[in-house]
Amino acid sequence: MNRGPTRDHAPLHVTVWDEAAPGAPRAVLVHGTMSWGTECFAAQRPLAGRFRLEVIDRRGFGDSPDTERSDYAVDAEDLGQLLGREAHLVGHPYGAAAVMLAASAHPDAVRSLTLIEPSPLRTAAGHPTVAAALERIRASFGDLDPELTPEDYLRHSTEPYGLPMPEPTPRLLRAVRSAMRERPVWDARLPLGPLAGATMPKTVINGTWDTAHPDHREFTGTALMACGEYLAGAIGARHVRVSGAGHAPHQDRPDEVNAVLARLWQS
């Protein structure tokens, strides 16, 4: 019998950045794929002067334990264990799916929800741009050579779309290896009703992709922008578009995104 995803028992690694006054608002930040917490959210470090930032390494990434298969539903269970007292939740693509599920399951523990470039495309497949991209991504990543190395997968994920091949450090290759075994987030169909009915403030942040390589914008950028717009409308979220930014607006334009987060967390 299929019992669904199971959560490993070893605890996650959490980096805490906190130079704020005692009792400052708490924010939990969840990274996306082929990344880890402090790499993904390095540009949000200055916010620790006013807020307590808890930067998560998902299972299989950063300094968290290995996992047989990374899974956004397992990540959501982990977040449910970590939430405890109230916290603001932030998730970047793969992490956005996890925080959506965690906020749906624990709405009273979530003070606000921020989705940065959310990528559960199947949830927004009613939008024709998203539906077309979903088919492209399935074709490109759904049937890869099982002998593909992490370095080859990294190259497959970057160079065909005009992105530079990053230095394949051991830490990055571990993240890539975990990403290769992930449950595909683009095929996630997440229930939106619980979030639509939740009262916490909700924000969706997208880059405008105007400075991105045309191949990257065409392959995923237009779909991610449409997905963000669709999800914002469906859950009653404010939709923020960041000019001059691509798939990582919090890294490309940190001052602008940090100002959005600070206003949200202070309110």
Side-chain angles (χ1 to χ4, degrees), residues 38 87 183 198 200 209:
T38 56
R183 183 182 179 187
M200 84 281 287
W209 290 74

Side-chain angles (χ1 to χ4, degrees), residues 71-91:
D71 190 307
Y72 48 83
V74 173
D75 296 337
E77 291 180 14
D78 283 328
L79 289 173
Q81 296 290 320
L82 288 168
L83 273 174
R85 62 186 178 87
E86 290 185 337
H88 300 276
L89 277 184
V90 179

Side-chain angles (χ1 to χ4, degrees), residues 11-124:
L12 294 184
H13 181 267
V14 181
T15 299
V16 177
W17 293 330
D18 184 9
E19 292 88 45
R26 173 181 175 236
V28 176
L29 283 62
V30 187
H31 66 89
T33 195
M34 293 199 293
S35 183
W36 53 93
T38 56
E39 190 273 339
C40 181
F41 293 108
Q44 282 58 65
R45 181 71 174 77
L47 291 169
R50 288 180 284 168
F51 308 98
R52 176 186 171 89
L53 306 184
E54 298 180 14
V55 185
I56 308 301
D57 287 338
R58 295 166 42 231
R59 295 188 184 277
F61 300 88
D63 292 316
S64 280
D66 287 328
T67 185
E68 183 176 342
R69 190 186 191 204
S70 178
D71 190 307
Y72 48 83
V74 173
D75 296 337
E77 291 180 14
D78 283 328
L79 289 173
Q81 296 290 320
L82 288 168
L83 273 174
R85 62 186 178 87
E86 290 185 337
H88 300 276
L89 277 184
V90 179
H92 183 235
Y94 203 101
V99 300
M100 288 171 72
L101 288 174
S104 296
H106 307 278
D108 293 340
V110 179
R111 296 186 63 180
S112 73
L113 177 68
T114 302
L115 311 176
I116 302 176
E117 288 275 305
S119 55
L121 298 181
R122 191 176 177 190
T123 302

